[in-house]
Amino acid sequence: MPQQSSLFAEPPHEAFAAGAWLLRGFALADAVELVAAIDAVVTLAPFRHVMTPFGKPMSVAMSNCGAVGWVSDRRGYRYEGHDPERNLPWPAMPAVLAALAARAAAAAGYPGFAPDACLINRYVPGAQMTLHQDRDERDFAQPIVSVSLGLPAVFLFGGLTRTDRTIKLPLQHGDVVVWGGPSRRWFHGIRPLRDGEHAWLGRQRLNLTFRVAR
Ligand code: MD6
Ligand code: FE
């Protein structure tokens, strides 16, 4: 049989560090459903600028869905079952989100991924995420799945210490990063978002990060 080619064939997956994979365009086919699901979540639990433990509001606006959500305040970073702004549980994780995260994790070699937390980040031009480690989760054997929608961003990826040199990874609408194994606790961040207008989502970038937190 001759090899089938398709305009919609997925590009090959790229490993950009040990255990860390970039799945270009992996979320494109689900994007309309994902955005509708995000919209439903943030209608219940609106985006807010949480305070860092140092007392400064983050430039990225956040919400969560799932059994637990990532929160930050003067007491520190942690996962909590209740939205502190509304004193209510976080909205349930829409099935389309959980399913995409599981498929992406499996494609990167992490089968059986069942996230209990989905952090939703909203960046407007100028918003950034300074270098940090993801280390508030209980089990570092579990990967993280991260979905990018809307405006492109530059993802910085370093090493185990804050001063390790970083590589720059451009993330586009529909890209998915799956990250675990040896690089699970490496420093990373997002450069200040460049101004622009996404044809569909306008002047913003939406990012979903799925974790097994508990
Ligand atoms: C973002 N992402 O892409 C921020 N963390 O907006 C993260 O901080 C992140 O993409 C852990 C694993 C994947 C990520
Ligand atoms: Fe992170």
Side-chain angles (χ1 to χ4, degrees):
M1 278 266 286
Q3 173 137 10
Q4 294 288 100
S5 76
S6 160
L7 273 176
F8 306 104
E10 265 176 41
H13 304 333
E14 300 164 38
F16 62 89
W21 294 85
L22 172 55
L23 280 44
R24 289 197 193 274
F26 195 91
L28 276 180
D30 289 323
V32 169
E33 276 190 272
L34 296 177
V35 169
I38 294 168
D39 203 51
V41 169
V42 302
T43 298
L44 294 171
F47 284 118
R48 77 291 305 267
H49 294 270
V50 300
M51 289 286 174
T52 67
F54 316 102
K56 277 186 55 173
M58 293 185 68
S59 62
V60 176
M62 296 178 170
S63 184
N64 290 279
C65 59
V68 292
W70 186 84
V71 301
S72 172
D73 57 24
R74 296 306 290 255
R75 288 158 49 213
Y77 308 127
R78 63 196 174 276
Y79 287 93
E80 281 194 356
H82 279 63
D83 174 357
E85 297 255 310
R86 298 177 305 131
N87 240 311
L88 286 170
W90 293 105
M93 195 182 306
V96 59
L97 267 61
L100 173 74
R103 267 191 288 123
Y110 300 99
F113 182 62
D116 58 5
C118 174
L119 172 62
I120 306 171
N121 292 141
R122 178 175 185 266
Y123 296 71
V124 296
Q128 64 176 311
M129 182 89 68
T130 55
L131 283 180
H132 65 278
Q133 294 170 292
D134 284 31
R135 56 176 191 193
D136 304 316
E137 301 78 28
R138 200 157 287 171
D139 180 4
F140 296 121
Q142 293 288 336
I144 296 177
V145 173
S146 166
V147 178
S148 294
L149 297 166
L151 285 177
V154 176
F155 190 54
L156 299 172
F157 192 78
L160 202 50
T161 64
R162 188 179 293 279
T163 51
D164 284 336
R165 63 161 299 170
T166 54
I167 59 166
K168 295 178 190 67
L169 206 67
L171 295 181
Q172 308 279 347
H173 175 75
D175 287 351
V176 178
V177 171
V178 182
W179 172 349
S183 59
R184 175 64 177 72
R185 268 170 290 177
W186 288 11
F187 277 88
H188 58 278
I190 293 280
R191 276 269 183 87
L193 199 75
R194 262 190 66 178
D195 200 3
E197 178 87 21
H198 186 265
W200 172 33
L201 295 174
R203 282 182 90 206
Q204 62 176 332
R205 170 177 183 261
L206 298 171
N207 168 257
L208 305 170
T209 54
F210 298 89
R211 300 98 189 274
V212 176
R214 290 192 165 166

